[in-house]
Amino acid sequence: MFEPQPNPTAFGRRELLRGALAGAALTGAALTATPLFGAPASAGEPRRAPALHTGGRTVAILGGGMAGLSAAHELVERGYEVTVYEPDYLGGKARSMGVPNTAAGGRLDLPGEHGFRFFPGCYQHVPDTMARIPFPGNPNGVADNLVRVEGAVAGFRGRPPIFAPVEAGSLDQLTPELLQNSIIGAFSFIPELPPAELAFFAKQMMVWFTSSPERRFGQWEYVTWEQIMHANGKSRAYQDYLVNALTRITVAAKPHLSSARTIGTIGEALVLAATGLIPQFSGGVDRILNRPTNEAWIDPWVDYLGGRGVRFVLGQRATALRLRDGVIGSATVVDSRGVASTVTADWFVCATPVERAVDLLGDEIIDADPRLAGMRELQTDWMVGIQYYLTSPTEIPEGHIAALGTPWALTALRQAPMWVGDFAARYGDGSVRECLSVDISDWDSPGILYNRPAKQCTATEVAAEVWAQLCEWLNTGTDWLRREDIHSWHIDPGITWSGGTTRNATPLLVNTVGSYDHRPDAHCAIPNLFFGGDHVRSHIDLATMESANESGRAAANAILDAADDPAERAAIFPLVALPIFEPAKRIDADRFRAGLPHLLEG
């Protein structure tokens, strides 16, 4: 069967909010969202790109993932001559791919992918780009291929799964106390969770909401999410679900390693998107594409960029940058046969993943800007997908699925019901009616079937283990998952097995404690070298399509700055916060400067 395819709480009112954080002044503020400003100067403000003023218009972008394509988009629309060099596939980790040799009867190959796409309402850069990519019949371009998800399934081991809406519903007003109580209500379904600990969790979220930027960058960046949530001494349910599971399914983040500032940033954005009060977060909490990613987005994007003049050179991996007279004079690219070529341009954008970027820069370039040496300290982890193709649709409600507490931190999505057209008529051999796409976020913890981590399992064992965990977490009181319905499965081809070793060609950055200090800006001391990727500093701060897209825009803007180009800059959208928290943040800034703890932590 498992054959691989080819390629009411115990806390009182006073304890809940300790006087509503200095009183009713917080509740009287307007609800208009305001930008959430970034790092204070002590944490490293972005610097303006060094001016070169060559007048040159040629740009070499090394890497055709989300950051590279985003930079190309902004630059070509401003009249630059752009060439993108990509060794593998355009779209990077965001792409989808056909599973080879699975099509029959004029259908397309079964759709595979690195992992299912998720577009939270707090994303602003990606939807803006999508709206500027034409798509037949769509007035808002590719952006109209986004489908709003209304609910999610939470699975628990040995307990019936729960379906719940993912949005808080329309709110006419919001006070800190109401928000805190909404957080309590949102997680009240978690079994065996002491009410006092749930209230404590909500209170700690309010600590984050009311922390000043100075404290966020000066304190919370240097402690883990596990620490800010005071996990030690709490119940197993608190640790497993509220601290671990909710964090682990957020892009492979480990609560005992991850920066509390990073997890708090995305947590705040998701909570505010759920309130419906932020005009900039208008897409709801959860959206997905209505087709495989390449059909819905990447292919139309590449076609649009090509039509505007972007040149794509595939099968070419950048291996070296040459420094000459203080600027990048050329880059070396190598094809699959090992044949090297020299690339020259006025401007160079290094849009490769961080683990490749470090090797590409080399000691000479890092010596020219020692701040780049921090990239060597950045860490990556694995979050990789597997798709199960089923001959019968499951009865799992539409929406995302979070198997909370699974050893491998599994999340999933039923794709066929939310895609346009008839799945069986469009893909495969006509017998596949469902695609269940699963993300594996923990490759280092032992499973329940083989008692080994995913990194120590074969491909077939990974497929069997993931299925076993899903059944254990979702089939209590249901028969949603039936082994006999499995037609086949497909694991992201970036995972390879050889000589007893499992390798991943597509890891992603994880935001460990203090890692912000090591991340580059989109520009550096070398005046014609720029950076894109999910490791570049951004507002969303997490390794996501959104951060990569923002970094591509920032790189394009830095080129415009360096060239002294008067063209309009690419839009950069900061995250937003509600003004009701600003008085508390001002109090906290004073307390932080005085060396005092947060008011709710004192």
Side-chain angles (χ1 to χ4, degrees):
M1 182 67 66
F2 287 96
E3 291 299 323
Q5 292 294 329
N7 263 321
T9 78
F11 275 23
R13 185 180 183 88
R14 176 173 171 272
E15 193 64 25
L16 279 173
L17 204 57
R18 197 174 292 178
L21 289 169
L26 294 182
T27 65
L31 282 174
T32 305
T34 56
L36 180 64
F37 55 96
S42 60
E45 285 187 346
R47 303 158 294 167
R48 183 179 173 90
L52 196 58
H53 307 307
T54 66
R57 308 286 289 184
T58 62
V59 184
I61 299 179
L62 309 176
M66 181 57 53
L69 293 179
S70 299
H73 191 139
E74 302 300 339
L75 289 167
V76 76
E77 288 188 343
R78 289 158 177 80
Y80 285 76
E81 300 175 29
V82 181
T83 303
V84 176
Y85 298 86
E86 168 55 43
D88 300 313
Y89 305 95
L90 296 172
K93 291 188 283 289
R95 75 182 180 103
S96 60
M97 74 290 289
V99 182
N101 305 317
T102 58
R107 300 175 184 84
L108 300 172
D109 282 329
L110 290 169
E113 58 196 347
H114 172 81
F116 60 76
R117 305 273 71 77
F118 167 43
F119 299 82
C122 58
Y123 280 15
Q124 300 175 83
H125 299 91
V126 168
D128 176 79
T129 295
M130 287 178 156
R132 294 153 55 201
I133 303 169
F135 193 90
N138 287 0
N140 297 308
V142 164
D144 284 341
N145 290 335
L146 290 172
V147 178
R148 196 161 177 158
V149 178
E150 303 295 339
V153 172
F156 303 91
R157 190 174 195 177
R159 293 177 175 269
I162 296 171
F163 179 78
V166 296
E167 298 181 16
S170 294
L171 296 175
D172 296 327
Q173 60 180 347
L174 186 68
T175 66
E177 189 169 23
L178 177 59
L179 181 60
Q180 182 167 340
N181 289 335
S182 297
I183 293 171
I184 292 172
F187 296 106
S188 60
F189 65 88
I190 294 177
E192 300 178 357
L193 180 63
E197 291 186 1
L198 177 54
F200 179 81
F201 173 83
K203 189 267 290 185
Q204 290 305 103
M205 287 299 297
M206 295 306 297
V207 169
W208 169 262
F209 270 83
T210 56
S211 287
S212 62
E214 290 85 355
R215 190 179 301 279
R216 292 184 181 194
F217 283 91
Q219 180 178 351
W220 302 140
E221 172 65 20
Y222 302 101
V223 300
T224 68
W225 186 246
E226 188 176 75
Q227 289 171 324
I228 194 177
M229 285 297 155
H230 299 274
N232 288 341
K234 297 294 192 299
S235 68
R236 181 70 179 268
Y238 182 92
Q239 295 181 23
D240 284 353
Y241 299 129
L242 288 182
V243 177
N244 197 348
L246 291 180
T247 310
R248 204 71 182 94
I249 63 177
T250 307
V251 196
K254 297 178 180 178
H256 66 286
L257 296 176
S258 297
S259 157
R261 186 188 61 81
T262 293
I263 303 304
T265 296
I266 188 63
E268 177 178 4
L270 292 173
V271 168
L272 292 180
T275 68
L277 291 172
I278 309 295
Q280 296 93 322
F281 297 172
S282 60
V285 176
D286 188 357
R287 293 167 294 183
I288 67 168
L289 290 168
N290 63 4
R291 297 167 173 83
T293 309
N294 272 43
E295 293 181 37
W297 177 20
I298 303 300
D299 290 345
W301 196 6
V302 172
D303 290 343
Y304 170 73
L305 295 180
R308 293 295 299 258
V310 174
R311 178 171 170 254
F312 295 101
V313 182
L314 300 182
Q316 300 284 337
R317 182 184 301 276
T319 60
L321 293 170
R322 304 300 178 191
L323 195 63
R324 185 176 64 233
D325 298 328
V327 299
I328 302 300
S330 64
T332 300
V333 296
V334 178
D335 65 17
S336 59
R337 301 167 299 167
V339 177
S341 303
T342 298
V343 172
T344 59
D346 298 303
W347 316 100
F348 291 83
V349 179
C350 177
T352 65
V354 63
E355 68 275 8
R356 298 180 186 176
V358 170
D359 292 336
L360 180 61
L361 295 178
D363 292 339
E364 185 181 20
I365 291 175
I366 289 178
D367 288 343
D369 186 350
R371 188 171 175 273
L372 298 177
M375 294 171 66
R376 294 171 173 155
E377 307 301 320
L378 298 177
Q379 300 179 32
T380 60
D381 207 338
W382 296 19
M383 185 177 187
V384 182
I386 179 172
Q387 290 80 54
Y388 295 91
Y389 305 106
L390 310 177
T391 55
S392 296
T394 77
E395 295 181 4
I396 302 174
E398 294 181 13
H400 281 106
I401 304 156
L404 296 176
T406 41
W408 289 5
L410 303 179
T411 52
L413 177 68
R414 286 184 64 195
Q415 292 181 316
M418 304 190 76
W419 283 358
V420 296
D422 183 278
F423 191 92
R426 185 168 176 79
Y427 304 104
D429 60 7
S431 66
V432 175
R433 301 180 62 196
E434 177 79 279
C435 177
L436 182 66
S437 187
V438 186
D439 276 350
I440 308 168
S441 296
D442 189 332
W443 286 73
D444 298 302
S445 298
I448 64 173
L449 195 61
Y450 301 106
N451 198 35
R452 297 198 304 272
K455 288 178 180 176
Q456 296 178 17
C457 291
T458 66
T460 300
E461 289 171 340
V462 167
E465 176 71 52
V466 170
W467 188 260
Q469 291 186 32
L470 289 175
C471 289
E472 186 78 11
W473 262 255
L474 296 174
N475 272 4
T476 300
T478 77
D479 62 347
W480 285 344
L481 300 176
R482 299 174 293 272
R483 186 181 178 92
E484 60 269 22
D485 290 340
I486 300 175
H487 171 278
S488 53
W489 51 266
H490 171 263
I491 296 180
D492 172 41
I495 300 291
T496 56
W497 288 263
S498 178
T501 301
T502 307
R503 294 179 174 84
N504 182 5
T506 55
L508 75 163
L509 177 80
V510 288
N511 299 71
T512 54
V513 166
S515 60
Y516 187 85
D517 297 339
H518 302 306
R519 292 164 59 189
D521 293 310
H523 53 80
C524 66
I526 300 170
N528 68 336
L529 176 62
F530 308 90
F531 295 93
D534 54 23
H535 58 286
V536 176
R537 290 182 175 186
S538 67
H539 289 89
I540 200 77
D541 195 54
L542 202 62
T544 58
M545 298 179 292
E546 176 76 352
S547 63
N549 185 293
E550 180 184 338
S551 75
R553 293 165 178 250
N557 286 346
I559 289 175
L560 299 177
D561 288 345
D564 202 19
D565 192 319
E568 181 180 3
R569 279 12 181 198
I572 300 291
F573 304 103
L575 290 171
V576 294
L578 293 176
I580 55 174
F581 297 114
E582 293 308 312
K585 289 179 180 178
R586 289 194 292 270
I587 292 171
D588 185 59
D590 291 339
R591 291 179 64 87
F592 179 77
R593 286 190 288 266
L596 298 173
H598 189 281
L599 184 64
L600 293 179
E601 289 272 87

